[in-house]
Amino acid sequence: MFSKFKTSCMITVVALASILPGQASASAASDKGIHVKNNVSININGETLKVSDPILNKSDYLFLPMRALYEAVGASVDWKKETLTASANRNGKLVNLTINSKTALVDGQKVPMAVAPFMYKDRTYMPLRFVSENFGGNVNWNPTTQTVDISLTDETQGNPYILHINNQRIVMKDPIIVKQSRSYIPANYIYEYLDDSSGTLLPDKSFELRIAGMSFVFKENSNQVLVNDEVVTMEEKPFMQNGKMYVPVSFVVNALGGNLRYIEDKRELYLYVYQYMYTSSFLEKSYGSTSTPMNVPSARLEGDRDLFISDNPETLTSKLIPKSNATLAQYQVKSTSAINKHRVFGWHYNTLGTDVRIGITVQNTSSTESIEVIDSKGTSQQTGNSWVGHDIGLTIADATLNDKLKKSSSKGIVIAPGETKVIESYDLLRGYIIGFLHELDIQAVNGGTPEYTIRTVLTKDNSNLTSILSDPVPIDESAKHPRGAWTSSTILAELPAYTVDSPEVGYNISNSKTDHLLTTENSLSQINGAVGNPGHFGMNYKVSIPLVNQTGKTKTIKLKLAGRGGIYSGAVKVNGKVYLVPTLRVGTEYVELPDYKMTGSVETLELEFMHAGGVNLPVAIYLHSEE
């Protein structure tokens, strides 16, 4: 008899294909369409199953004796003779099958079956496919060798499957299945977590998935899919498992426009559909080299919203943060005005080996004057993916330039003298990176001069964030990312006037030389160290370009962007409309901005940038004119 499988065996295999007619010869046929199989081999986690009773085929499905099958998959079974029901349990999952019934109970829920268990020569026979799938197995049929390979995983070990849909983190109750290097998930995870989506199992057993006005009709084991009622051939074949339609994620994402990545060792699938994730559309990437640009001749800070950066230590380690609670960055506000506007930008990577909570807090250090948070809004993103510029940086830049920051519940709170309150908090999982941008406006309640300290704080043991009042942890000397506070979160660079029909010109912005205004020395927060922000992360960078046209004709101004310091991406607003810049490799890739039609003799072209966190800088702007 085949021994129980080893619980440490964790194998990912392709999904089940049912046993079809003619795949094995029958030595004899009995009544009721039952056939004995002589030459079918069944392997479970690489070991060949041996049974003394015959293996049977009915309605193109294989059946095994009950106790031999359940012992092979590592399930305990209780046979109830009065109801002819087998109650099997594996790793806490309960499956009840009843003789001659096509309805199973799986963890108390009714699940339809294609074929029913039956009695044969005083033996109880169970469907191999249904039992294997419902106990977490995947099955592959090889018609050449007449072999069934079953892979079973011990669901009590290892991490659960995690699905990220546009930065929503979902702990899955079903496995992610990889078949011929293609990832499949149950369709319900897509329509349950994307707005304006739904799914329906149709009478012919096909499945319709509707997403944002598009219709996909999948049929089990068919590579023909109806997309908006048109037949499309795909490489993948959807399939049913545990009563759910598994659909090829890459096909759906490519049809809608998006991106996909499966990190198999972490059992995490990242699924992005751009129309849900971003407000703005991507510019199309072009290929070719660009000339060497000039540095921006001059730039200055503008606006009354200051910038507080919490990006050091970027990588949170036990060496840098040995205690349960810590302050990551701190800004003691010294103001002479009644209303103060702040922007807090944070970027941290959790390698502490435990989940943590990070918060933005405000401590009222005045002894007499209460303060009120009159406005509070922000955005945040997390990822366990390595695509931080895409997952986090672009989403923050897109939301900020489109004025889509979400209102915070901390708006309107009053902080009494000596009191500390939480402005915003974030749960950061181990191994994940978080980026956040938060704006808050604070005023003195009675018209006096407010005195307070803004902090970014961290707790490993779920302590009250308002109790963390320590000085910031020291700077990570081995990886000096920005930390500090500066008087403005906006830069304005006014370029020299461009006259139409002149040769192409190009300028570097965020070049850390002529426009490096956020230095270590001029930081407003020096406690336990400050590091400059030459890359202008968390800032709005405005570029004003005067245009001169004395020809009397309408001219087309052509603009393009190219990275100059390494891989670049970000968001750019051109005369009020925002576009996303895809990842650009330096020296070989660039994007073209929409043409600007110049009809007057003197006009001004306005650009505004926010660089995606996790990218390299600087970026160059090129312009020339055409008829």
Side-chain angles (χ1 to χ4, degrees):
M1 181 65 68
F2 178 77
S3 61
K4 292 185 180 180
F5 74 97
K6 298 177 181 178
T7 57
S8 60
C9 184
M10 306 288 286
I11 305 172
T12 302
V13 300
V14 296
L16 175 65
S18 62
I19 308 302
L20 299 177
Q23 291 175 341
S25 62
S27 62
S30 73
D31 57 353
K32 301 181 181 178
I34 297 173
H35 301 269
V36 177
K37 296 302 200 181
N38 287 330
N39 60 345
V40 174
S41 297
I42 299 174
N43 300 321
I44 300 181
N45 286 349
E47 297 187 43
T48 301
L49 172 63
K50 297 179 181 180
V51 293
S52 56
D53 293 306
I55 298 172
L56 303 179
N57 177 287
K58 182 180 180 181
S59 301
D60 298 331
Y61 289 86
L62 286 184
F63 286 75
L64 269 67
M66 177 182 71
R67 295 202 180 272
L69 175 57
Y70 285 140
E71 180 180 350
V73 301
S76 61
V77 61
D78 180 30
W79 173 251
K80 295 181 174 60
K81 187 176 181 179
E82 60 276 12
T83 61
L84 299 180
T85 298
S87 296
N89 187 303
R90 179 176 183 264
N91 296 333
K93 189 169 187 178
L94 186 64
V95 177
N96 291 351
L97 302 182
T98 301
I99 296 299
N100 297 327
S101 173
K102 288 187 178 182
T103 299
L105 284 180
V106 179
D107 287 334
Q109 300 295 316
K110 291 183 178 180
V111 177
M113 303 172 63
V115 288
F118 58 84
M119 301 294 294
Y120 178 81
K121 294 185 177 180
D122 298 324
R123 292 286 189 268
T124 303
Y125 273 77
M126 296 296 177
L128 174 65
R129 171 178 181 167
F130 189 88
V131 170
S132 299
E133 288 180 344
N134 280 276
F135 282 136
N138 299 314
V139 183
N140 180 49
W141 165 251
N142 187 325
T144 303
T145 62
Q146 296 286 290
T147 301
V148 180
D149 288 305
I150 302 173
S151 173
L152 286 162
T153 60
D154 186 350
E155 296 176 352
T156 64
Q157 298 185 14
N159 297 322
Y161 289 95
I162 305 296
L163 175 64
H164 299 261
I165 296 185
N166 292 353
N167 293 110
Q168 299 177 81
R169 185 179 186 272
I170 303 139
V171 179
M172 300 178 68
K173 296 181 180 179
D174 303 278
I176 297 167
I177 293 177
V178 178
K179 180 180 180 181
Q180 297 178 342
S181 301
R182 304 280 182 167
S183 300
Y184 295 77
I185 63 172
N188 63 287
Y189 287 97
I190 299 176
Y191 64 76
E192 287 175 1
Y193 291 95
L194 286 180
D195 292 338
D196 192 24
S197 302
S198 61
T200 305
L201 186 63
L202 302 177
D204 65 353
K205 303 302 182 182
S206 61
F207 189 92
E208 183 178 13
L209 178 64
R210 293 177 294 277
I211 307 174
M214 288 191 70
S215 170
F216 303 85
V217 179
F218 298 99
K219 195 171 185 62
E220 184 178 14
N221 294 322
S222 172
N223 64 350
Q224 302 291 313
V225 57
L226 288 176
V227 180
N228 290 343
D229 294 326
E230 293 187 14
V231 177
V232 176
T233 301
M234 55 185 178
E235 296 182 12
E236 306 91 339
K237 292 183 179 180
F239 53 89
M240 296 292 294
Q241 179 162 308
N242 298 341
K244 297 182 178 181
M245 177 67 81
Y246 270 75
V247 297
V249 193
S250 59
F251 180 83
V252 176
V253 170
N254 290 337
L256 293 169
N259 219 321
L260 181 71
R261 188 184 186 197
Y262 182 41
I263 305 176
E264 188 168 354
D265 59 343
K266 296 175 68 176
R267 307 175 90 175
E268 296 195 11
L269 179 68
Y270 289 81
L271 187 161
Y272 304 104
V273 180
Y274 292 157
Q275 61 185 298
Y276 291 95
M277 190 172 182
Y278 302 114
T279 299
S280 309
S281 58
F282 278 88
L283 294 167
E284 184 176 353
K285 187 184 297 186
S286 298
Y287 299 90
S289 60
T290 51
S291 61
T292 301
M294 298 177 285
N295 283 336
V296 172
S298 63
R300 67 175 186 271
L301 296 173
E302 75 161 15
D304 57 357
R305 183 173 300 282
D306 60 27
L307 178 67
F308 172 38
I309 295 285
S310 179
D311 187 18
N312 198 315
E314 180 179 84
T315 301
L316 307 173
T317 67
S318 297
K319 180 180 178 181
L320 294 168
I321 306 175
K323 299 181 180 179
S324 296
N325 302 309
T327 296
L328 302 176
Q330 175 178 305
Y331 172 28
Q332 293 179 333
V333 179
K334 299 176 181 178
S335 175
T336 57
S337 59
I339 298 178
N340 300 273
K341 298 180 179 180
H342 309 286
R343 174 180 289 179
V344 183
F345 180 81
W347 193 279
H348 297 287
Y349 175 32
N350 179 9
T351 67
L352 294 168
T354 185
D355 300 344
V356 301
R357 174 167 289 185
I358 291 177
I360 303 170
T361 65
V362 172
Q363 178 190 14
N364 186 352
T365 55
S366 171
S367 59
T368 58
E369 183 73 54
S370 293
I371 56 177
E372 180 182 3
V373 179
I374 58 175
D375 198 11
S376 182
K377 58 187 179 181
T379 185
S380 69
Q381 298 291 348
Q382 298 187 38
T383 186
N385 203 338
S386 61
W387 300 347
V388 291
H390 180 281
D391 294 16
I392 304 176
L394 274 181
T395 52
I396 292 176
D398 182 49
T400 303
L401 288 191
N402 279 294
D403 195 23
K404 296 289 187 179
L405 301 183
K406 296 179 181 178
K407 293 293 183 181
S408 171
S409 59
S410 60
K411 178 181 178 180
I413 65 172
V414 174
I415 308 174
E419 188 177 25
T420 301
K421 287 192 175 181
V422 176
I423 302 300
E424 198 65 63
S425 65
Y426 317 93
D427 292 319
L428 180 59
L429 301 172
R430 70 188 75 183
Y432 277 61
I433 299 173
I434 187 172
F436 54 87
L437 184 148
H438 199 92
E439 294 184 348
L440 64 153
D441 299 350
I442 296 177
Q443 71 174 4
V445 171
N446 297 315
T449 301
E451 298 176 12
Y452 52 93
T453 298
I454 306 174
R455 292 183 177 89
T456 55
V457 296
L458 175 149
T459 178
K460 301 178 188 177
D461 59 6
N462 208 29
S463 295
N464 190 327
L465 295 174
T466 63
S467 67
I468 306 172
L469 304 175
S470 56
D471 286 341
V473 298
I475 290 291
D476 183 359
E477 294 293 340
S478 63
K480 290 190 175 182
H481 293 271
R483 182 165 83 175
W486 292 274
T487 56
S488 178
S489 56
T490 302
I491 282 180
L492 174 62
E494 295 177 332
L495 302 186
Y498 173 75
T499 301
V500 300
D501 296 333
S502 298
E504 180 182 85
V505 295
Y507 293 94
N508 260 357
I509 68 170
S510 298
N511 57 62
S512 76
K513 297 176 182 177
T514 57
D515 58 357
H516 183 16
L517 306 175
L518 309 185
T519 65
T520 300
E521 294 73 24
N522 64 16
S523 169
L524 302 175
S525 177
Q526 298 285 340
I527 297 176
N528 273 357
V531 178
N533 184 21
H536 304 133
F537 294 111
M539 297 197 73
N540 293 54
Y541 195 119
K542 296 181 178 180
V543 179
S544 178
I545 309 175
L547 303 174
V548 178
N549 178 14
Q550 301 297 339
T551 67
K553 301 178 182 179
T554 298
K555 291 287 184 175
T556 299
I557 306 299
K558 311 285 288 188
L559 297 110
K560 58 186 178 184
L561 305 175
R564 296 295 305 179
I567 291 177
Y568 177 81
S569 64
V572 57
K573 184 184 291 185
V574 185
N575 284 342
K577 184 173 177 60
V578 180
Y579 301 90
L580 299 179
V581 181
T583 300
L584 300 177
R585 290 177 174 83
V586 65
T588 60
E589 299 173 343
Y590 62 91
V591 292
E592 294 183 344
L593 300 180
D595 292 344
Y596 177 76
K597 296 292 185 180
M598 183 178 181
T599 56
S601 59
V602 178
E603 296 180 20
T604 301
L605 183 61
E606 303 286 352
L607 305 178
E608 186 173 2
F609 294 82
M610 178 166 276
H611 310 311
V615 305
N616 297 287
L617 293 167
V619 62
I621 309 165
Y622 298 89
L623 70 160
H624 69 277
S625 63
E626 295 179 355
E627 292 290 345

